[in-house]
Amino acid sequence: MKKLSIIAVAVLAMAAIFASCKKEDKDYAAKISGTYLGTNEFKIETSAKVVITRSDDEYVTVQYDAATEEENTKELAPVGFKVRVKKSGDNYTLSGSSNIESVDGTVTGSTLKMKVYQGEIEIINFVGTKQ
């Protein structure tokens, strides 16, 4: 009976240790979601915007400012697919593609660097900070 009590105490102690361990937060999408303001190498004016919205723990939707100064539009162009978010060290990587468009980017701290391609042609080269 004494051995059974010792085993029971050991099992309870192990359960308490495992229960107290902090689980890693895998909701990467929530960590990078937000509005980023910065510059787009292909834009005439100096301000550009990218909006990242959480879809689920590992996917986001991305909208980017593709208008030039002459077009004077306020609408953001949506990427037509969910973009995957992965943790890579202290950074988060963004990637995704369709038959027409692809997105590659990184978020380091509050800085987003993102490129959008249509086929082989780079159409967006954005660098900005989270607001």
Side-chain angles (χ1 to χ4, degrees):
M1 190 70 173
K2 192 172 185 177
K3 286 183 182 182
L4 187 58
S5 297
I6 292 172
I7 291 172
V9 169
V11 169
L12 289 174
M14 293 298 284
I17 290 170
F18 285 119
S20 68
C21 291
K22 185 178 178 185
K23 293 181 181 176
E24 182 181 350
D25 184 7
K26 299 215 183 233
D27 191 353
Y28 304 142
K31 294 182 185 300
I32 67 162
S33 292
T35 300
Y36 294 81
L37 298 178
T39 58
N40 176 4
E41 188 175 296
F42 299 104
K43 195 172 169 67
I44 293 173
E45 59 188 64
T46 57
S47 64
K49 179 172 26 174
V50 171
V51 177
I52 298 176
T53 307
R54 180 188 182 279
S55 293
D56 59 40
D57 289 357
E58 294 183 23
Y59 288 91
V60 293
T61 57
V62 176
Q63 295 176 297
Y64 56 88
D65 185 357
T68 63
E69 195 170 59
E70 294 93 22
E71 293 172 329
N72 196 25
T73 61
K74 300 294 180 192
E75 294 180 21
L76 297 176
V79 171
F81 51 88
K82 288 184 179 180
V83 176
R84 184 159 193 178
V85 181
K86 291 183 178 180
K87 187 162 175 69
S88 177
D90 292 336
N91 304 327
Y92 297 92
T93 60
L94 299 154
S95 63
S97 64
S98 69
N99 293 343
I100 301 168
E101 198 171 50
S102 65
V103 174
D104 290 307
T106 59
V107 176
T108 304
S110 63
T111 301
L112 167 65
K113 293 180 180 181
M114 182 184 82
K115 293 183 179 185
V116 178
Y117 299 89
Q118 281 186 342
E120 299 293 320
I121 300 170
E122 184 178 287
I123 60 168
I124 301 292
N125 186 347
F126 178 84
V127 176
T129 56
K130 191 173 185 179
Q131 301 303 295

